[in-house]
Structure formats: structure tokens, C-alpha cells
Amino acid sequence: NAGVTQTPKFQVLKTGQSMTLQCAQDMNHNSMYWYRQDPGMGLRLIYYSASEGTTDKGEVPNGYNVSRLNKREFSLRLESAAPSQTSVYFCASSSTGVYGYTFGSGTRLTVV
Amino acid sequence: KNEVEQSPQNLTAQEGEFITINCSYSVGISALHWLQQHPGGGIVSLFMLSSGKKKHGRLIATINIQEKHSSLHITASHPRDSAVYICAPGMAAGNKLTFGGGTRVLVKP
């Protein structure tokens, strides 16, 4: 099925552990994004990649790193997880310019 | 500062009623997205608007770029319309979205 695939769907980490959230899209979109969603805060942009080989910080990049491995894949890494990073993470993609978005199904991350 | 304001925050309707959700934004945009999120679920893009009006089934979205305002209407509402609806203006550069806080809609049978 065409779309955006995120893994894992659920994850529990201990404070200080690291992990990578994977995202892949098969729609040949140029732009990819990582958002986090927190109760009372709505969705906020962590990092984005306007095209293969480029990445830029969003509104809340601290504590995260990203890699645009190729046109299809955009990963988000937490080097040393903190309880403040407990959230639901969404990957999304879009074509260049003013086009619609497609979101992944989300990763629910809990840091204890 | 809130760049995107949605109203109401919560809405309860009886099945069959007409529902309107409003969105005002203060940033310059190239297009505005309306998103739907069911409880515990993923996010689905309903509309992307840069001008005028779009209709899809029982859903209608309108935008007034000059007034920086958009509305989402649900006609003949149904319990399966119960979800959170999110307004998200998009910037041309990078097509990054800014999100409203969402409107939680409950349609009772």
C-alpha cells in the first residue's frame, strides 16, 4: 500500500537510552518531516528535509538528530532519551511546493 | 503566541446536525490544510486549500486568504465524524505546517 510507514508503533525507553525511529515513503515525495504531538501543545515540527541530502531544524529540534538516507527514508534519532521526549511522533511527506501531506500512523514513545 | 486559533475547542452535536469549525491564522501562507485524527489514531489530510472552496462528500472547506480565515463544515453529521479536526496553515518554503490546537467533535446518535 502506498503511503508513509513508521516503525516501531510503540516503544518504552529508559532515561539515557538511545533509539532510532524509522520512516519510509513510497510516493516519490521530495519533502519529509518529523512532528511530535503532546497533549495541550498540539503538533510541533522537530526536523524536516526539503529534498534528499538536506535537513533543517524545526521548532523543537533539541535532543534529536535526523538522517535523510535516500529519497524514501528519513530517520529520527534520540541519542540520550529524556522523560520530556515522551510523546507521539509522526513522520510525514509531501511533494515540493504546495501539495498535500501524507502522515505515518505514529510512534508512541514513553521514556521512564 | 498562537499563530493559529481554532474555535470551538470542543463541540457536541446530534446526528444530522450541521457543524462548523473556524480557523484564524496570523502568518502568511501558501495553502491551508484540514486534518482529521480519530482517538488513538493517525492523521488524515482532508483538504488542502489555497483559495475558495472545496467539497468532498459531506465535508466542505472554505478559505479567505485576505481575511486569514478558514472554515470546515460537516453537513448531516454522523457519529463516525467524531474526531479531532486540526487546521494547519502551510508555508511555501519547505511546505512546513503550523498547527491549531484542534477541535474535538463528538456526534451523538
Side-chain angles (χ1 to χ4, degrees), chain A residues 31 33 35 37 42-45 48 50 57-58 88 90 94-106 108, chain B residues 30-33 35 37 40-45 48-50 84 86 91-101:
Chain A
S31 301
Y33 313 82
Y35 293 95
Q37 184 176 39
L43 284 148
R44 293 177 292 171
L45 179 65
Y48 70 103
K57 295 178 180 179
V88 181
F90 288 96
S94 75
S95 295
T96 303
V98 184
Y99 291 98
Y101 261 61
T102 301
F103 286 84
S105 57
R108 189 172 296 273
Chain B
S30 52
L32 183 140
H33 301 250
L35 310 172
Q37 186 174 29
I43 300 170
V44 174
S45 178
M48 185 190 68
L49 294 162
S50 54
V84 176
I86 303 168
M91 314 300 168
N95 202 15
K96 296 174 288 182
L97 300 184
T98 303
F99 298 86

Side-chain angles (χ1 to χ4, degrees), chain B:
Chain B
K1 65 176 183 193
N2 289 326
E3 294 178 319
V4 186
E5 295 281 355
Q6 277 186 244
S7 63
Q9 288 186 308
N10 296 282
L11 185 158
T12 299
Q14 290 297 129
E15 183 173 356
E17 287 185 341
F18 184 85
I19 291 171
T20 295
I21 302 167
N22 293 301
C23 175
S24 296
Y25 53 92
S26 58
V27 296
I29 69 168
S30 52
L32 183 140
H33 301 250
W34 280 101
L35 310 172
Q36 180 192 56
Q37 186 174 29
H38 283 100
I43 300 170
V44 174
S45 178
L46 298 174
F47 293 103
M48 185 190 68
L49 294 162
S50 54
S51 64
K53 175 180 174 179
K54 286 190 176 180
K55 184 175 189 292
H56 180 69
R58 294 178 296 103
L59 301 178
I60 302 167
T62 62
I63 189 167
N64 185 317
I65 293 289
Q66 287 73 28
E67 294 187 4
K68 296 186 176 178
H69 182 269
S70 178
S71 294
L72 177 68
H73 306 285
I74 306 174
T75 63
S77 59
H78 189 276
R80 64 174 174 266
D81 297 325
S82 298
V84 176
Y85 293 85
I86 303 168
C87 167
M91 314 300 168
N95 202 15
K96 296 174 288 182
L97 300 184
T98 303
F99 298 86
T103 296
R104 188 174 300 275
V105 172
L106 174 64
V107 182
K108 294 183 175 180

Side-chain angles (χ1 to χ4, degrees), chain A residues 69-91:
Chain A
L69 304 170
N70 47 56
K71 192 171 186 178
R72 291 186 63 248
E73 299 173 288
F74 188 39
S75 62
L76 178 72
R77 183 161 179 83
L78 286 70
E79 292 290 352
S80 179
S84 61
Q85 293 178 304
T86 293
S87 188
V88 181
Y89 292 84
F90 288 96
C91 178

Side-chain angles (χ1 to χ4, degrees), chain A residues 22-82:
Chain A
Q22 307 286 355
C23 177
Q25 53 93 8
D26 58 6
M27 295 170 289
N28 203 35
H29 284 169
N30 289 316
S31 301
M32 297 185 73
Y33 313 82
W34 278 105
Y35 293 95
R36 60 179 287 175
Q37 184 176 39
D38 302 293
M41 299 292 292
L43 284 148
R44 293 177 292 171
L45 179 65
I46 305 171
Y47 270 94
Y48 70 103
S49 171
S51 61
E52 184 179 355
T54 68
T55 61
D56 285 288
K57 295 178 180 179
E59 184 183 353
V60 288
N62 291 344
Y64 304 96
N65 285 301
V66 290
S67 296
R68 184 74 183 267
L69 304 170
N70 47 56
K71 192 171 186 178
R72 291 186 63 248
E73 299 173 288
F74 188 39
S75 62
L76 178 72
R77 183 161 179 83
L78 286 70
E79 292 290 352
S80 179

